Amino acid sequence: MGSLRAKKSLGQHFLRDRAVLEQILDAAGLCPEDSVLEIGAGDATLTAPLARACGRLIALETDQRRMSRLHEMFPAGGSVEIVAADILQFDLGTLASRAPLKCVSNLPYNIATAVLERLLARRGMFTLHVLMFQKEVGRRLVAGPGDPAYGSLSLATQYRAEAALVCTVPRRAFVPPPAVESAVVRLVPRGEPLLPPEQERTFEHLLRAGFAYRRKTFLNSAAISPRPITPEALAVGLAALGLTERARAEEIPLEGFLRLATLLTPGVV
């Protein structure tokens, strides 16, 4: 398998740094009782230590060239199940009987945020995600108010999971080296929604409106967004948070957006 070239179209970059592998495994905190999903088994650099650390591993791989070697390394009937599947097409619902699961993966960067969206949408299925992203994306996932990386992706992620940076990873840790540095992020999904459905929709609307035009105030951005918010109502909400009409969305923490969603949902107050 080592002689197979990485496919650029599949976003393949194979981790070779043992210290980074150890940090990933430490962050996952695996034990023999754990069932784990790995997305992109590749050349099994991460698959093999995962298999040794957990009780059951489901490893997805979309590169058909690598399947015979993976099946040779992990024969059918053992604790590792190799599945030929694209994570964006794979029905995660088929893993419901294996829940709770942990997901530990070096994600293909070209689909990483789409994969994260799919994983976090499966509320109750996963107890932990330890995932590799481009460094820029990883920073956005964990950023807070005042950080230039803070935005709608930060808030949408942190609404559904507690996110923390595990480590940054240099380009030289991979073969072939990617064009950018990378980051490992640890995400603990929240067991229950922070808001009821109607307020959750308002929250999502506020994120789209508030960050549609980052250089504008929240009021101005929201007023000209595709689904405008009444400036008067938003001004009242901002005042309730102790903020002026000059406030920008990137100044407001998750708790502030949750409060705004409660205040601006019709029929709540």
Side-chain angles (χ1 to χ4, degrees):
M1 182 162 13
S3 62
L4 291 177
R5 288 182 177 272
K7 271 193 174 183
K8 186 176 181 180
S9 63
L10 297 178
Q12 291 178 335
H13 299 280
F14 302 121
L15 186 61
R16 291 290 183 265
D17 190 309
R18 294 292 170 183
V20 175
L21 279 169
E22 288 299 322
Q23 287 181 282
I24 291 172
L25 294 169
D26 287 347
L30 300 177
C31 68
E33 288 71 41
D34 284 327
S35 293
V36 175
L37 171 67
E38 183 192 11
I39 298 163
D43 62 358
T45 303
L46 179 57
T47 311
L50 286 176
R52 292 192 292 269
C54 71
R56 182 72 178 172
L57 175 64
I58 304 100
L60 307 187
E61 179 53 56
T62 191
D63 188 349
Q64 291 297 324
R65 303 173 304 159
R66 300 181 183 275
M67 295 306 295
S68 60
R69 177 60 176 148
L70 287 169
H71 284 301
E72 181 182 315
M73 293 178 67
F74 308 104
S79 63
V80 180
E81 181 182 352
I82 302 296
V83 181
D86 179 342
I87 181 58
L88 296 182
Q89 305 299 324
F90 181 70
D91 181 5
L92 287 169
T94 61
L95 302 180
S97 63
R98 316 279 182 89
L101 291 152
K102 293 181 177 181
C103 182
V104 186
S105 304
N106 174 17
L107 297 178
Y109 296 159
N110 55 343
I111 61 169
T113 53
V115 171
L116 179 62
E117 174 67 29
R118 293 201 76 208
L119 294 173
L120 293 180
R122 288 285 173 174
R123 189 172 273 137
M125 179 176 285
F126 296 94
T127 59
L128 180 69
H129 304 290
V130 179
L131 306 172
M132 184 88 73
F133 298 90
Q134 291 184 43
K135 183 179 177 180
E136 178 185 349
V137 174
R139 286 187 57 215
R140 290 168 63 195
L141 297 178
V142 304
D147 187 323
Y150 183 63
S152 56
L153 179 61
S154 315
L155 285 155
T157 300
Q158 293 165 30
Y159 177 83
R160 293 179 291 180
E162 297 180 40
L165 181 69
V166 174
C167 62
T168 57
V169 185
R171 297 173 61 246
R172 65 178 181 274
F174 301 88
V175 174
V180 295
E181 291 191 332
S182 305
V184 178
V185 178
R186 187 177 190 271
L187 301 113
V188 181
R190 301 185 190 277
E192 298 293 335
L194 297 178
L195 296 169
E198 282 297 320
Q199 293 175 41
E200 191 172 89
R201 284 190 283 273
T202 302
F203 173 82
E204 293 168 353
H205 182 195
L206 285 166
L207 295 193
R208 289 191 295 270
F211 291 95
Y213 304 93
R214 288 185 66 96
R215 294 186 179 183
K216 294 185 178 295
T217 65
F218 198 162
L219 279 178
N220 288 340
S221 180
I224 59 176
S225 69
R227 286 183 56 203
I229 298 173
T230 305
E232 292 78 14
L234 183 54
V236 170
L238 291 172
L241 301 182
L243 298 171
T244 71
E245 296 185 7
R246 303 300 303 166
R248 298 177 187 274
E250 52 264 38
E251 302 171 23
I252 303 173
L254 173 63
E255 295 74 15
F257 273 92
L258 297 176
R259 179 62 176 151
L260 283 175
T262 300
L263 292 170
L264 297 178
T265 300
V268 174
V269 292

